[in-house]
Amino acid sequence: MQQQKETDIQAAILDYLRLRGHFCFRVNNIPATFIDRHGARQFRKMPTYGMKGIPDIVLIHRGRFFGIECKTATGKVSPDQAEFGRKCVAAGGEYIIARSIDDVAAAGL
């Protein structure tokens, strides 16, 4: 059986959240790439105030911030993602590692 892709998990969770009327959006925090004049792929630097580890989905529910990091069944949280999660919780927000819609529903969303 083929493992579900992270992008499919993100899409399913966003569909679920939007159907429930939540204010949420997908965050794309990967530096843009381009092909240089020699045909090589180049990465632009992170935006000046960009932050590593930002979760895939941001949701605000009843005045509370939720960061939702989507992972496959075997996906691992990076050190930057774990650090963002710690800072998010310390600042009063919620941080969820979601491998399926069930994880989001279990958080009461």
Side-chain angles (χ1 to χ4, degrees):
M1 185 167 148
Q2 186 176 5
Q3 182 171 313
Q4 195 174 20
K5 290 192 264 181
E6 197 171 284
T7 54
D8 295 334
I9 296 166
Q10 291 167 4
I13 290 171
L14 282 164
D15 287 345
Y16 166 82
L17 292 170
R18 291 209 172 132
L19 283 170
R20 295 184 50 87
H22 290 295
F23 171 66
C24 60
F25 55 92
R26 163 89 169 87
V27 177
N28 187 2
N29 198 41
I30 298 170
T33 63
F34 65 97
I35 305 300
D36 69 13
R37 61 189 172 107
H38 305 291
R41 176 179 268 188
Q42 300 291 321
F43 289 89
R44 295 186 179 145
K45 68 179 186 120
M46 289 285 285
T48 303
Y49 294 101
M51 182 182 292
K52 290 183 178 181
I54 290 178
D56 298 311
I57 299 170
V58 168
L59 176 138
I60 299 173
H61 179 62
R62 296 183 178 159
R64 190 131 197 203
F65 175 91
F66 287 79
I68 303 171
E69 182 60 41
C70 300
K71 293 292 177 192
T72 63
T74 58
K76 297 188 185 335
V77 175
S78 74
D80 290 326
Q81 291 166 336
E83 180 65 14
F84 184 95
R86 285 189 289 277
K87 288 180 178 179
C88 179
V89 171
E94 299 283 339
Y95 188 78
I96 302 165
I97 305 299
R99 297 179 191 281
S100 70
I101 292 170
D102 293 339
D103 294 326
V104 176
L109 299 171

